[in-house]
Amino acid sequence: VLAPILMSVELLKELNPSAENAEILNTLQISAVRGADQVKQVLSFARGVTGDRVSVAVAHLMRDLVKVMRDTFPKSIAIHLDSVPDLWSVTGDPTQLHQVFLNLCVNARDAMPHGGRLQLSLANVVLDETFAALNPDAQIGPYIMVKVVDSGSGIPPALRDKVFEPFFTTKEIGKGTGLGLSTTMAIVKSHGGFINLYSEVGKGTKFKVYLPANTSTAVSEEVAVAQTGLPRGQGELVLVVDDEDGVRDIAERTLTRYGYRVLLASNGAEAVAVYALQQAEVAVVLTDMAMPIMDGPALIIALKAINPAVRIIGSSGLASNGGIARAIGAGVSHFVPKPYTARALLTTLRAAITGEAQG
């Protein structure tokens, strides 16, 4: 439908070269091209995403993308890229993966109209049973994780569950189709991966993209060995406070499996009541920082009023510029970012119990 319109515009430009006609035809051409791009996005989302599958070096892909962004993004946005030296490869379509990372970076740019910091991080991760239980789309095994973090305006809680819906956008009419993140999600899922989103209003937004990694059997065995010997408890009692049923359930199963006893609370007010009754036995309190009724910082203040020596571990999805700052501000010296692996949880818990400084 749009092809003859675009071809006709080119022909009319030659037949009617006047300045007035050129301006009208330019507007027509720009609108037709924009319409064609939107149709491509709709078709890409509606048909599903297939594409070629080759070995992709994501580190090279991201370095090329960063060069382009530094030339085209506003100079008020500082762009930083960190990558482990031996990042694993993935199997996928390089053009589609480029689109995924570009979409996320453009969204980050739009969230920082007055400038800010865009931090890109690439890492090898091995997801364990604990992580897979907390993330239904995850499988146990090796992944590469691409983290896109901005210092922008953040996403309100009411909108976080909607940002991946097709045609949902907070931009003005004509400024966005609402297909960027839905197409991004479709591409990532077609590659066997998944995306986690964390955001706080006024603090920024973090996207974590997980893609299955290509690794040798030897590397997998090495990882399996490295994941054994996690620190075990000696029957210490841990109070776990989180408003998400799934998080409480898997934390309880993990801690019980590794030698701890567990108490559970779904919010800060409930936790205060539980702790007041059993404070003599509770060795550590593990609390989420964002909860209804009474949030983490308020709970920490209440617990310290009961027992100034209480050991507390804070936990939050936005570790870099939200949760940690709030936890430290409330006097907490140990922190574990969500979603956490069993290793991260158990290592932090052991450090809190023994009084070691967190690394």
Side-chain angles (χ1 to χ4, degrees), residues 41 44-50 53 96 100 164 179-193 195:
Q41 280 191 304
S44 176
F45 177 79
R47 290 174 177 168
V49 184
T50 53
R53 291 293 185 265
Q96 292 176 0
V100 165
F164 292 108
L179 285 170
L181 286 179
S182 58
T183 303
T184 294
M185 177 67 82
I187 292 172
V188 171
K189 283 190 172 182
S190 76
H191 283 73
I195 303 176

Side-chain angles (χ1 to χ4, degrees), residues 133-261:
L134 289 169
N135 295 268
D137 295 324
Q139 301 292 325
I140 299 170
Y143 285 73
I144 70 158
M145 179 184 68
V146 178
K147 190 160 52 175
V148 180
V149 184
D150 69 63
S151 60
S153 54
I155 303 172
L159 301 183
R160 284 178 210 153
D161 292 336
K162 297 181 180 180
V163 296
F164 292 108
E165 293 178 4
F167 306 109
F168 176 80
T169 180
T170 58
K171 297 177 182 178
E172 299 174 14
I173 294 175
K175 295 293 181 67
T177 61
L179 285 170
L181 286 179
S182 58
T183 303
T184 294
M185 177 67 82
I187 292 172
V188 171
K189 283 190 172 182
S190 76
H191 283 73
F194 60 98
I195 303 176
N196 281 338
L197 163 64
Y198 317 96
S199 188
E200 285 187 29
V201 174
K203 299 286 187 177
T205 299
K206 177 198 299 179
F207 286 94
K208 288 183 177 180
V209 179
Y210 293 84
L211 296 167
N214 300 327
T215 59
S216 65
T217 303
V219 171
S220 297
E221 291 175 353
E222 197 174 306
V223 168
V225 171
Q227 288 187 330
T228 60
L230 294 175
R232 296 183 60 84
Q234 304 295 324
E236 296 96 333
L237 186 61
V238 180
L239 172 56
V240 177
V241 191
D242 202 293
D243 61 314
E244 295 185 35
D245 295 340
V247 174
R248 292 197 307 275
D249 177 64
I250 192 61
E252 180 181 26
R253 283 194 286 157
T254 300
L255 293 175
T256 302
R257 179 180 177 184
Y258 285 91
Y260 294 94
R261 295 177 294 134

Side-chain angles (χ1 to χ4, degrees), residues 64-75 77 79:
D64 291 341
L65 179 59
V66 167
K67 289 178 184 176
V68 174
M69 290 192 297
R70 283 179 174 151
D71 289 337
T72 58
F73 278 21
K75 300 304 179 185
I77 296 178
I79 302 172

Side-chain angles (χ1 to χ4, degrees), residues 20 37 51 56 68 111 131 138 147 154 184 191 239 246 249 270 278 303 330 334-335 339 349:
E20 182 181 357
D37 288 340
V56 180
V68 174
F131 191 102
K147 190 160 52 175
T184 294
H191 283 73
L239 172 56
D249 177 64
E270 185 179 332
Q278 303 196 53
L303 293 180
H334 290 82
F335 189 90
L349 181 58

Side-chain angles (χ1 to χ4, degrees), residues 5-353:
I5 296 175
L6 287 168
M7 287 187 288
S8 298
V9 168
E10 294 292 339
L11 182 60
L12 289 171
K13 280 184 176 181
E14 294 181 11
L15 297 175
N16 299 278
S18 68
E20 182 181 357
N21 286 338
E23 185 177 345
I24 295 172
L25 292 172
N26 280 335
T27 301
L28 180 60
Q29 185 176 35
I30 290 170
S31 297
V33 169
R34 184 181 299 165
D37 288 340
Q38 291 179 1
V39 170
K40 286 177 184 176
Q41 280 191 304
V42 172
L43 291 176
S44 176
F45 177 79
R47 290 174 177 168
V49 184
T50 53
D52 298 327
R53 291 293 185 265
V54 297
S55 181
V56 180
V58 175
H60 296 316
L61 200 70
M62 291 298 291
R63 279 194 286 268
D64 291 341
L65 179 59
V66 167
K67 289 178 184 176
V68 174
M69 290 192 297
R70 283 179 174 151
D71 289 337
T72 58
F73 278 21
K75 300 304 179 185
S76 57
I77 296 178
I79 302 172
H80 300 273
L81 174 63
D82 294 321
S83 176
V84 295
D86 298 314
L87 189 72
W88 294 327
S89 65
V90 302
T91 297
D93 185 312
T95 301
Q96 292 176 0
L97 292 177
H98 182 276
Q99 182 182 353
V100 165
F101 305 135
L102 179 61
N103 283 348
L104 294 177
C105 291
V106 167
N107 274 4
R109 178 202 66 189
D110 293 344
M112 300 183 287
H114 305 297
R117 178 184 176 90
L118 174 56
Q119 179 69 52
L120 308 173
S121 303
L122 312 177
N124 299 323
V125 296
V126 177
L127 305 186
D128 59 16
E129 294 177 356
T130 304
F131 191 102
L134 289 169
N135 295 268
D137 295 324
Q139 301 292 325
I140 299 170
Y143 285 73
I144 70 158
M145 179 184 68
V146 178
K147 190 160 52 175
V148 180
V149 184
D150 69 63
S151 60
S153 54
I155 303 172
L159 301 183
R160 284 178 210 153
D161 292 336
K162 297 181 180 180
V163 296
F164 292 108
E165 293 178 4
F167 306 109
F168 176 80
T169 180
T170 58
K171 297 177 182 178
E172 299 174 14
I173 294 175
K175 295 293 181 67
T177 61
L179 285 170
L181 286 179
S182 58
T183 303
T184 294
M185 177 67 82
I187 292 172
V188 171
K189 283 190 172 182
S190 76
H191 283 73
F194 60 98
I195 303 176
N196 281 338
L197 163 64
Y198 317 96
S199 188
E200 285 187 29
V201 174
K203 299 286 187 177
T205 299
K206 177 198 299 179
F207 286 94
K208 288 183 177 180
V209 179
Y210 293 84
L211 296 167
N214 300 327
T215 59
S216 65
T217 303
V219 171
S220 297
E221 291 175 353
E222 197 174 306
V223 168
V225 171
Q227 288 187 330
T228 60
L230 294 175
R232 296 183 60 84
Q234 304 295 324
E236 296 96 333
L237 186 61
V238 180
L239 172 56
V240 177
V241 191
D242 202 293
D243 61 314
E244 295 185 35
D245 295 340
V247 174
R248 292 197 307 275
D249 177 64
I250 192 61
E252 180 181 26
R253 283 194 286 157
T254 300
L255 293 175
T256 302
R257 179 180 177 184
Y258 285 91
Y260 294 94
R261 295 177 294 134
V262 180
L263 293 172
L264 301 175
S266 60
N267 58 65
E270 185 179 332
V272 170
V274 172
Y275 185 79
L277 291 174
Q278 303 196 53
Q279 60 174 300
E281 288 188 75
V282 174
V284 176
V285 178
L286 169 65
T287 180
D288 186 24
M289 299 308 294
M291 298 180 292
I293 302 178
M294 178 187 285
D295 64 6
L299 169 61
I300 292 166
I301 293 170
L303 293 180
K304 284 186 173 291
I306 298 173
N307 176 15
V310 60
R311 296 186 180 96
I312 301 174
I313 299 173
S315 182
S316 173
L318 197 68
S320 62
N321 54 9
I324 286 181
R326 297 174 70 198
I328 292 174
V332 174
S333 58
H334 290 82
F335 189 90
V336 58
K338 293 167 67 177
Y340 38 71
T341 62
R343 175 174 293 279
L345 173 60
L346 295 169
T347 302
T348 305
L349 181 58
R350 178 50 49 191
I353 290 174

